[in-house]
Amino acid sequence: MADPTTAAAEISQAATQAPITGAVSGAQSVATDLAPAAANVASSVASAPPVGPEITSGLIVDGTLDVLIAFSVVTWTLILIKGIQHLRIGYHNRAYSKKFWSAKDFQAASALQDNQGPAARIAEVGFATLLETDGGTTTHDLEHTGERQELLDRRLRQQLQKERGSLESGLAILATIGSISPFVGLFGTVWGIMGALTNISKSGSANLEVVAGPIGEALVATAIGIAVAVPAVIGYNFFIRRNKVVWAFLDDFAVEFGHLALKTSFLIKRAGSNSASASRGETLVKKPALKSNNEDLETNGVQV
């Protein structure tokens, strides 16, 4: 016969373990039911294509190539325009310098016509200033303040600055393109490599045939950036050198013009003054002739 105390302990232990066992079995059943759903969610997330990075990298690479092509067009256009400009400037400066220094005197040089180029424009400004100050000016303002030499130097310096600004136009664009084009190409290359690595991870293969193609295509952006930068830098350096030569020529011409004006006491006769004097002289010559004719008529009349 069993002990009543022992039987009561066994009954209480069984009653305590029954809820725990049921809870464990219920949790196991719930976990078993959720496992397939979690597996399906994980597989769908893994199989989802990386649409965002792929589209972004493609757009950025294409935009980078378009920007570099635009830079190249602007570079070659500026090189062509500046080259034609310097050819014309060199031709006109040589032609006017030959005509100017072949003139008989400073007055004859002021009468030269059909002149073009920076040197001719500087001389025209100088001659116009000398004519303006001939006999004094009636304008009293800051622009006409000072002596004739000061006014002439000021006008020549202002015209030199205008010519320098014309020569420097466009060079800042060449310098900018030559500086930033390699970095723009490198930016496109980085994004292209990111897209290529994403495609390689999707394919699940790291063979050379899979890696070399996308990476090589991405490096094209850097190559194009360097190809755009090299002509821009060469053109910028070339035209800077040519500008220095032209500036030296114009500075020397302006200084020599001032020296010649000083020798003439900053006086230039106005065009047409000689013809006016000649016409006045003819009038003076004709008047005595008329008088002599009248005297002859009077004499003849007395004789009659």
mmCIF file of all heavy atoms in Angstrom, residues 11 40 42 62 80 100 102-103 150 200 258:
data_model
loop_
_atom_site.group_PDB
_atom_site.id
_atom_site.type_symbol
_atom_site.label_atom_id
_atom_site.label_comp_id
_atom_site.label_asym_id
_atom_site.label_seq_id
_atom_site.Cartn_x
_atom_site.Cartn_y
_atom_site.Cartn_z
ATOM 1 N N ILE A 11 1.060 13.754 -7.410
ATOM 2 C CA ILE A 11 -0.086 14.406 -8.075
ATOM 3 C C ILE A 11 0.178 15.905 -8.269
ATOM 4 O O ILE A 11 -0.082 16.474 -9.329
ATOM 5 C CB ILE A 11 -1.364 14.164 -7.233
ATOM 6 C CG1 ILE A 11 -1.738 12.690 -7.266
ATOM 7 C CG2 ILE A 11 -2.511 15.004 -7.741
ATOM 8 C CD1 ILE A 11 -2.861 12.309 -6.298
ATOM 9 N N ASN A 40 9.863 32.589 -46.879
ATOM 10 C CA ASN A 40 9.350 33.212 -48.103
ATOM 11 C C ASN A 40 9.703 34.695 -48.176
ATOM 12 O O ASN A 40 10.091 35.220 -49.227
ATOM 13 C CB ASN A 40 7.828 33.038 -48.167
ATOM 14 C CG ASN A 40 7.428 31.586 -48.361
ATOM 15 O OD1 ASN A 40 8.180 30.799 -48.944
ATOM 16 N ND2 ASN A 40 6.236 31.224 -47.870
ATOM 17 N N ALA A 42 12.272 36.235 -46.701
ATOM 18 C CA ALA A 42 13.716 36.360 -46.923
ATOM 19 C C ALA A 42 14.072 36.096 -48.374
ATOM 20 O O ALA A 42 14.910 36.779 -48.966
ATOM 21 C CB ALA A 42 14.469 35.400 -45.994
ATOM 22 N N ASP A 62 25.889 58.392 -67.724
ATOM 23 C CA ASP A 62 25.475 59.021 -68.986
ATOM 24 C C ASP A 62 25.542 60.542 -68.898
ATOM 25 O O ASP A 62 25.988 61.216 -69.842
ATOM 26 C CB ASP A 62 24.045 58.592 -69.329
ATOM 27 C CG ASP A 62 23.963 57.103 -69.654
ATOM 28 O OD1 ASP A 62 25.018 56.512 -69.977
ATOM 29 O OD2 ASP A 62 22.855 56.542 -69.561
ATOM 30 N N LEU A 80 39.442 77.534 -81.722
ATOM 31 C CA LEU A 80 39.311 78.023 -83.097
ATOM 32 C C LEU A 80 39.102 79.538 -83.125
ATOM 33 O O LEU A 80 39.746 80.250 -83.915
ATOM 34 C CB LEU A 80 38.146 77.303 -83.775
ATOM 35 C CG LEU A 80 37.855 77.695 -85.232
ATOM 36 C CD1 LEU A 80 39.047 77.367 -86.118
ATOM 37 C CD2 LEU A 80 36.606 76.988 -85.741
ATOM 38 N N PHE A 100 52.501 103.305 -89.960
ATOM 39 C CA PHE A 100 52.739 104.380 -88.991
ATOM 40 C C PHE A 100 54.183 104.843 -89.030
ATOM 41 O O PHE A 100 54.458 106.044 -89.090
ATOM 42 C CB PHE A 100 52.372 103.878 -87.599
ATOM 43 C CG PHE A 100 52.536 104.897 -86.510
ATOM 44 C CD1 PHE A 100 51.527 105.809 -86.236
ATOM 45 C CD2 PHE A 100 53.698 104.954 -85.743
ATOM 46 C CE1 PHE A 100 51.670 106.757 -85.227
ATOM 47 C CE2 PHE A 100 53.850 105.885 -84.743
ATOM 48 C CZ PHE A 100 52.833 106.793 -84.479
ATOM 49 N N SER A 102 56.300 104.474 -91.359
ATOM 50 C CA SER A 102 56.705 104.934 -92.685
ATOM 51 C C SER A 102 56.170 106.325 -92.997
ATOM 52 O O SER A 102 56.490 106.877 -94.062
ATOM 53 C CB SER A 102 56.202 103.953 -93.756
ATOM 54 O OG SER A 102 56.764 102.666 -93.567
ATOM 55 N N ALA A 103 55.342 106.895 -92.112
ATOM 56 C CA ALA A 103 54.802 108.231 -92.346
ATOM 57 C C ALA A 103 55.902 109.280 -92.263
ATOM 58 O O ALA A 103 56.922 109.098 -91.588
ATOM 59 C CB ALA A 103 53.703 108.539 -91.329
ATOM 60 N N GLU A 150 49.059 114.165 -69.130
ATOM 61 C CA GLU A 150 48.341 113.291 -68.202
ATOM 62 C C GLU A 150 47.072 112.723 -68.841
ATOM 63 O O GLU A 150 46.759 111.545 -68.689
ATOM 64 C CB GLU A 150 47.993 114.063 -66.933
ATOM 65 C CG GLU A 150 49.207 114.509 -66.129
ATOM 66 C CD GLU A 150 48.810 115.304 -64.915
ATOM 67 O OE1 GLU A 150 47.588 115.550 -64.740
ATOM 68 O OE2 GLU A 150 49.698 115.697 -64.134
ATOM 69 N N ILE A 200 27.863 42.329 -60.827
ATOM 70 C CA ILE A 200 28.685 41.145 -60.573
ATOM 71 C C ILE A 200 28.155 40.371 -59.382
ATOM 72 O O ILE A 200 28.103 39.128 -59.384
ATOM 73 C CB ILE A 200 30.161 41.568 -60.355
ATOM 74 C CG1 ILE A 200 30.749 42.102 -61.666
ATOM 75 C CG2 ILE A 200 30.989 40.400 -59.837
ATOM 76 C CD1 ILE A 200 32.105 42.735 -61.488
ATOM 77 N N GLY A 258 53.510 108.266 -77.003
ATOM 78 C CA GLY A 258 53.630 109.368 -76.056
ATOM 79 C C GLY A 258 54.874 110.198 -76.279
ATOM 80 O O GLY A 258 54.839 111.435 -76.154
#
